[in-house]
Amino acid sequence: MRALVQRVSQAAVDVEGERVAQIGPGLLVLLGVRKGDDEQAADRLAEKVRALRIFDDAEGRMNEPLGERQVLCVSQFTLYADTKRGNRPSYTDAAPAEEAEPLYERFCDRVGAERGYFGACMGVALVNDGPVTLMLEA
């Protein structure tokens, strides 16, 4: 599994022009599931996201974990794009929806995330704080 994690001051996701989720300060997570990923990978990645010390402490150092801040998670199969050959990405490493959706839901439940709609075409808006953006894998 891959998670592109962005520290945000706010983020929201719309589906067909309707706001389906919105958060204040916290993390926006774009989550990709690879073929062969399992529940243990989802759990490990969720624990890692919750434990990331990327928020400022009282001294202004990135030393605080997520704590009570919010998380917005959006499914993102394109994180497994292969662009080694040609200009059209291949997504053969991405898990099929029937395999990916339960792992996406498990990750979201474990991290306590608001979420977009799995498999939908979504509009994601965010204000990246820092900016702080990290790629995690499990």
Side-chain angles (χ1 to χ4, degrees), residues 7-113:
R7 187 177 76 180
V8 298
S9 57
Q10 61 186 16
V13 62
D14 296 341
V15 177
E16 295 181 8
E18 178 184 336
R19 177 83 16 115
V20 297
Q22 181 173 336
I23 65 167
L27 299 174
L28 172 65
V29 178
L30 304 178
L31 185 71
V33 180
R34 183 181 184 149
K35 287 180 184 173
D37 282 339
D38 57 20
E39 292 177 344
Q40 291 78 22
D43 293 350
R44 278 193 314 273
L45 194 55
E47 289 171 21
K48 182 75 170 178
V49 167
R50 289 209 57 84
L52 277 176
R53 294 174 19 181
I54 60 172
F55 293 94
D56 292 348
D57 63 15
E59 297 172 5
R61 292 192 175 121
M62 286 198 303
N63 200 29
E64 295 279 327
L66 181 64
E68 297 300 314
R69 295 173 190 91
Q70 298 175 295
V71 178
L72 174 59
C73 188
V74 175
S75 60
Q76 190 73 52
F77 75 92
T78 61
L79 288 176
Y80 280 102
D82 181 355
T83 57
K84 291 177 187 155
R85 298 180 59 190
N87 294 320
R88 183 170 185 220
S90 168
Y91 302 105
T92 57
D93 287 345
E98 59 274 3
E99 184 181 327
E101 187 171 11
L103 295 174
Y104 165 77
E105 293 294 339
R106 183 180 182 99
F107 174 89
C108 289
D109 289 343
R110 297 284 176 159
V111 81

Side-chain angles (χ1 to χ4, degrees), residues 120-136:
C121 183
M122 293 173 271
V124 180
L126 69 132
V127 177
N128 197 320
D129 180 24
V132 176
T133 303
L134 304 169
M135 179 70 80
L136 306 177

